[in-house]
Amino acid sequence: MRMPNPRSAWTTLISLLLVAAPCSAGAAQARWEFVVGLEPAQEILTVRGCSAQAQALVRLRAGSQALPYLKSLTRGGQQTLRPDARGVRVNDWQAGECFEARIDLKSAGLADRYRIGRGKDYWRVSPALWFWRPRRLNPESTLEFRLPAGWSESVPWTPIGESQRYRLGATPDDWPAQTAFGRFDETLIDLPGGRLRVAILPLVDASRRQSVMDWFKDTAPVLLASDGQVPLPDTQVLIVPLPGVSEPVPWGQVSRGGAAAVALFVGADAGSEAWRQDWTTAHELAHLQHPFLGSRGRWLAEGLASYYQYVWRARTGQFSATEGWRRLDAGFKRGRAVGSGPPLAELGRGWGGTMRVYWAGAAYWLESDIALRQHGSSLDAVLGAFRRQHLPSERNWPPEDFITALDAEVPQAGLLARYQRYASDREFPDLRDSYRALGLKIGQINDEEMPANPLRDSIMKQR
Ligand SMILES: [Zn+2]
């Protein structure tokens, strides 16, 4: 072991102090350039990271499960680095120096518990398993993919121009994300306000992939049903078609690492009509309207997506307004059936509380939408104002901060006070006053029981 000389000990101490100090300005962090390569025949992914800035200490790491898939990690092309599960600390990084990580893509793909992490012409592997990087870096750092001809990437980061270079952004490196590499084309769907980059993994033949793409292109404009604008300028959509599965969309999720991104697992045998009638896609796309709200804000996030999954589809004519109310009413019934329990903000993913999280959350947004409309605004309008000021957002929003920002648009609508009441409530909310305002009866949604009501029509009627 080499004893540190006094000067480098000081450098280390100073750099430790710098790392320990609260660091809000990303500009203080070094900028890195990453180049990702793929050797399809060997099933090896390489990540080369370089920085023009000298740094006293660099802590390289990937996700906590990444180590078994790392074949080698070298510095400057010769020095072997030996990380443990928490990564490796590297001292005296020289200006212009590079590291290179080689990842066993085959075993990383095989680790997928649903066995769809690897196929003949693709790998779907979380960046937590392959993306070795300094824990802290400048958000303007870039990632470039240099893949062989015919191979593409599907990644959440924001593209720079039309290149295969992406801006890394400021989201923490432990936020989940989805990445895939393979023989597929990314299809751009341009809509007012933004575009979707859609990749369909080659798990089924080309004609089946084409029908999935046709369906998704028809479905995506549901995003415009609030105020005609897509919530985000650029969004990765990764579609995994599941051969032999006839449930239309058994699973979907939005991840936030790199940027907000949508993953949809689509039953390849369901067919266009079943895909069209499924609610999951509208639900996931509706999540793009809010920033990451953490576990305390989960009920707000799931509630917002559950509310809009029906409102948007009624507005775009996928079913009638009456049917939209019937489905919301049925959701509230499922939430009510859970009975009382812990305060809404403390409800995790356990037991039957899920239905309360989703539908008490949706009730919050319905009641807020009603109050906003009674004061000349709407939920669409305040979310639009939030989007213009704050999206895309690369940080965690405590739920009260999100609601405070919405509340500021129309304070008379009481969004913040209602939030506080709901978050601490142990019961499903009493919606009788809201139903009365809408001219609806709980559990009896049919055209005969619904006298004309402009408030109700302003929410659900086709536009
Ligand atoms: Zn959801």
Side-chain angles (χ1 to χ4, degrees):
M1 187 198 265
R2 187 171 61 93
M3 291 297 288
N5 65 43
R7 184 168 169 274
S8 75
W10 274 114
T11 316
T12 307
L13 178 61
I14 289 165
S15 69
L16 282 173
L17 290 171
L18 285 173
V19 168
C23 185
S24 58
Q29 304 290 343
R31 193 176 155 139
W32 286 75
E33 289 175 1
F34 301 93
V35 174
V36 177
L38 179 67
E39 297 165 28
Q42 290 76 35
E43 301 195 56
I44 297 288
L45 192 78
T46 57
V47 180
R48 186 177 163 82
C50 309
S51 178
Q53 270 169 266
Q55 295 159 69
L57 174 71
V58 173
R59 188 174 152 201
L60 292 177
R61 69 174 196 182
S64 60
Q65 308 297 314
L67 206 49
Y69 313 111
L70 181 68
K71 287 181 83 81
S72 64
L73 181 64
T74 54
R75 172 188 187 180
Q78 44 202 331
Q79 185 191 346
T80 298
L81 301 173
R82 303 195 187 284
D84 61 23
R86 290 170 305 167
V88 59
R89 298 159 75 90
V90 186
N91 294 313
D92 298 326
W93 196 265
Q94 306 295 306
E97 211 179 346
C98 300
F99 73 85
E100 185 174 272
R102 291 174 63 80
I103 291 95
D104 177 355
L105 208 46
K106 179 179 178 179
S107 54
L110 286 171
D112 179 69
R113 61 178 165 153
Y114 301 108
R115 303 197 176 281
I116 44 176
R118 171 182 176 265
K120 189 164 97 48
D121 284 324
Y122 80 91
W123 298 269
R124 186 181 65 84
V125 175
S126 158
L129 298 187
W130 64 261
F131 191 13
W132 288 81
R133 50 169 274 187
R135 184 162 168 238
R136 294 168 188 277
L137 38 66
N138 189 308
E140 300 309 320
S141 296
T142 60
L143 189 57
E144 179 177 356
F145 292 85
R146 292 189 194 152
L147 309 187
W151 296 81
S152 295
E153 72 280 0
S154 171
V155 298
W157 300 286
T158 306
I160 300 169
E162 299 300 310
S163 67
Q164 287 185 291
R165 280 176 75 225
Y166 300 81
R167 175 188 176 271
L168 216 52
T171 57
D173 67 344
D174 58 356
W175 281 16
Q178 302 251 352
T179 51
F181 312 96
R183 284 188 192 275
F184 55 76
D185 293 319
E186 200 171 55
T187 299
L188 301 181
I189 301 181
D190 279 300
L191 295 168
R195 70 178 186 182
L196 307 176
R197 290 181 284 113
V198 187
I200 301 180
L201 294 189
L203 278 92
V204 292
D205 64 37
S207 78
R208 192 63 64 97
R209 293 204 297 277
Q210 189 58 51
S211 17
V212 173
M213 184 63 82
D214 291 344
W215 154 74
F216 187 77
K217 278 184 177 168
D218 279 351
T219 300
V222 77
L223 269 171
L224 306 173
S226 279
D227 66 354
Q229 295 283 308
V230 171
L232 299 169
D234 180 276
T235 306
Q236 174 205 19
V237 178
L238 181 61
I239 299 180
V240 183
L242 304 169
V245 173
S246 53
E247 194 183 335
V249 189
W251 179 248
Q253 68 184 73
V254 170
S255 54
R256 306 281 177 173
V262 178
L264 296 171
F265 296 81
V266 172
D269 290 7
S272 311
E273 190 48 34
W275 295 329
R276 209 179 64 78
Q277 289 185 21
D278 189 79
W279 55 267
T280 314
T281 305
H283 176 99
E284 301 308 334
L285 293 174
H287 274 304
L288 299 177
Q289 299 179 101
H290 65 79
F292 180 54
L293 298 171
S295 63
R296 278 191 312 115
R298 185 166 168 254
W299 65 275
L300 283 175
E302 294 307 341
L304 190 71
S306 301
Y307 180 59
Y308 274 111
Q309 82 194 26
Y310 293 142
V311 169
W312 277 359
R313 290 166 70 222
R315 286 179 185 172
T316 53
Q318 293 187 40
F319 41 66
S320 68
T322 306
E323 181 61 20
W325 290 115
R326 193 178 292 125
R327 291 186 187 201
L328 275 182
D329 183 57
F332 297 143
K333 186 178 175 187
R334 291 196 290 279
R336 210 174 280 121
V338 173
S340 56
L344 198 48
E346 292 171 21
L347 264 185
R349 288 168 191 269
W351 54 290
T354 304
M355 284 297 143
R356 217 180 114 216
V357 168
Y358 279 61
W359 294 106
Y364 171 81
W365 293 110
L366 171 64
E367 295 210 296
S368 296
D369 202 357
I370 292 170
L372 287 161
R373 286 171 194 272
Q374 286 168 339
H375 290 91
S377 183
S378 68
L379 185 54
D380 305 322
V382 297
L383 287 172
F386 180 85
R387 176 191 72 221
R388 288 188 288 278
Q389 282 182 60
H390 300 293
L391 294 185
S393 174
E394 300 185 319
R395 66 174 178 90
N396 180 12
W397 281 71
E400 43 286 292
D401 289 6
F402 176 53
I403 299 299
T404 299
L406 300 183
D407 186 70
E409 293 293 320
V410 188
Q412 316 88 292
L415 266 66
L416 190 55
R418 183 176 304 102
Y419 162 79
Q420 282 152 353
R421 202 169 69 240
Y422 266 71
S424 59
D425 207 348
R426 295 169 179 275
E427 308 280 340
F428 196 82
D430 181 348
L431 294 177
R432 278 176 297 187
D433 287 348
S434 291
Y435 270 59
R436 206 168 296 125
L438 294 164
L440 295 174
K441 290 181 186 162
I442 291 174
Q444 293 178 50
I445 311 285
N446 53 62
D447 289 317
E448 297 76 56
E449 306 269 349
M450 289 166 58
N453 181 301
L455 173 66
R456 191 180 70 224
D457 285 353
S458 70
I459 293 175
M460 199 71 86
K461 265 272 165 78
Q462 192 175 343
R463 315 177 150 188

